[in-house]
Amino acid sequence: MKTGALVAIGVVAFLHVYFMVMEMLLWQTPRVRATFGMTAEFAKDTASLAKNQGLYNGFLAAGLVWGIVADDSIGLSVRIFFTACVVVAGVFGAATANVRILFVQAVPGAIALALTLLSR
């Protein structure tokens, strides 16, 4: 069960690295604009906000990776904390920005959190 939890956390970490790259580096590209339904002007106007948001996604990814590599004396607590943060961020994003965030961020995070709690 622990291996499944670690794999799920790894997937969530990868997703957050992907979100970080999209938001910090690719925000104004046609593909990302299409993904978020943005005009070129809106993407340009919000690029600094997206970079800030991307940085936070990078912090979530770093924390998830830390939880994976840390020994269990601290790793379990780190995994629980950061997967819970992902779930909260995903639910908040779904409520305030776009309901798709629930499925892209909160659900994978909730699955990883549940597997982590079951693996204790």
Side-chain angles (χ1 to χ4, degrees):
M1 183 68 74
K2 181 180 175 185
T3 300
L6 294 175
V7 168
I9 292 169
V11 169
V12 174
F14 173 81
L15 286 171
H16 281 78
V17 168
Y18 179 69
F19 301 154
M20 180 190 72
V21 169
M22 280 196 321
E23 293 164 348
M24 293 186 82
L25 304 174
L26 305 174
W27 188 250
Q28 296 183 60
T29 64
R31 182 176 175 149
V32 172
R33 284 185 307 158
T35 299
F36 291 99
M38 300 182 295
T39 64
E41 182 179 8
F42 184 80
K44 182 179 179 188
D45 291 344
T46 60
S48 64
L49 296 172
K51 286 179 183 180
N52 186 59
Q53 186 171 296
L55 184 63
Y56 286 99
N57 278 311
F59 289 148
L60 287 173
L64 292 165
V65 171
W66 175 29
I68 291 170
V69 301
D71 64 44
D72 277 341
S73 65
I74 190 171
L76 179 63
S77 296
V78 171
R79 291 189 295 270
I80 291 169
F81 175 78
F82 278 97
T83 54
C85 287
V86 166
V87 173
V88 170
V91 169
F92 185 79
T96 60
N98 189 318
V99 73
R100 289 184 305 175
I101 296 171
L102 187 69
F103 303 103
V104 175
Q105 183 175 15
V107 169
I111 291 168
L113 177 59
L115 289 172
T116 299
L117 292 173
L118 289 171
S119 71
R120 295 169 50 174

